[in-house]
Amino acid sequence: MDRQNVFKVVFCGNTQAGKTSIISRYCSGRFDQLILPTIAADFISHTLYSGEREVKIHIWDTAGQEVYQALSALYFRQTVLAVIVYDLTSATALSEVQSWTGRMLEAEKNAIIYVLGNKTDLVSQEPTEVLEWCTQKGYTHFFCSAKTGHNINEVFKSIAEKLSTTFPPQPSNAVILEPISQQKSSNCC
């Protein structure tokens, strides 16, 4: 039997971009209009599926407020996949995404980068500036809405597939102990 891999997935981005709402929408199927800002970071464990394979992820929901950004490097270490979330209504979305991506790659240079443009429910047309930048860099990009659920399941399905194909299952290092059958002998010693 293959061992179950556990992957560290970190959500980061500016405050009010919708990181917590996206995670909540996927993990519990709910959208709460009033969510308090994350303090430092929150953590949740969740299991995704890619075909027959279970992909267990530890989701780190980091705070976007400036006061906590100095701590972000601590949470970014050993990240396997980073999800940079930005608000589609932000006029400075590209510079925000570039800044968060730079911080992530400075802390964990091999992290896989996903970029989510959240709040499609608030825009009539999805801006393409960040999408074009992601395409140039080879990053995966999704437009989504935590409020309506648009593309949320697709994001996590893609994450499961990416982790499953990038990190194939490894055989277990466990040692299996079997009882030794005792044979009765008629001889002594």
Side-chain angles (χ1 to χ4, degrees), residues 63-169:
Q65 300 99 316
E66 257 186 73
V67 69
Y68 297 112
Q69 289 181 11
L71 296 173
S72 61
L74 297 172
Y75 297 110
F76 292 173
R77 290 185 192 143
Q78 299 180 342
T79 296
V80 173
L81 190 143
V83 181
I84 316 294
V85 180
Y86 69 98
D87 182 340
L88 286 170
T89 66
S90 172
T92 58
L94 180 59
S95 64
E96 293 166 11
V97 169
Q98 289 171 332
S99 175
W100 282 103
T101 304
R103 278 183 254 175
M104 174 55 72
L105 293 175
E106 187 177 309
E108 192 56 57
K109 67 180 181 178
N110 294 320
I112 298 165
I113 304 293
Y114 269 55
V115 178
L116 305 184
N118 188 34
K119 304 184 184 181
T120 56
D121 54 291
L122 298 179
V123 295
S124 57
Q125 186 175 354
E126 296 159 344
T128 59
E129 187 179 42
V130 175
L131 174 61
E132 290 167 2
W133 180 79
C134 288
T135 302
Q136 290 173 359
K137 294 289 188 179
Y139 301 148
T140 302
H141 182 281
F142 281 91
F143 291 111
C144 64
S145 170
K147 184 174 185 177
T148 66
H150 171 69
N151 259 354
I152 299 297
N153 288 338
E154 290 77 5
V155 166
F156 283 89
K157 180 180 178 188
S158 176
I159 288 171
E161 289 171 359
K162 183 69 169 179
L163 292 173
S164 185
T165 57
T166 306
F167 304 99

Side-chain angles (χ1 to χ4, degrees), residues 37-54:
T38 303
I39 306 294
D42 282 337
F43 169 85
I44 187 170
S45 184
H46 197 76
T47 302
L48 306 173
Y49 295 90
S50 178
E52 296 293 316
R53 181 169 175 208
E54 282 188 354

Side-chain angles (χ1 to χ4, degrees), residues 1 4 20 26 30 32 41 61 65 79 81 86 104 111 116 148 183:
M1 177 187 261
Q4 184 180 0
T20 303
Y26 182 74
R30 291 189 339 250
D32 296 317
D61 178 10
Q65 300 99 316
T79 296
L81 190 143
Y86 69 98
M104 174 55 72
L116 305 184
T148 66
Q183 299 175 352

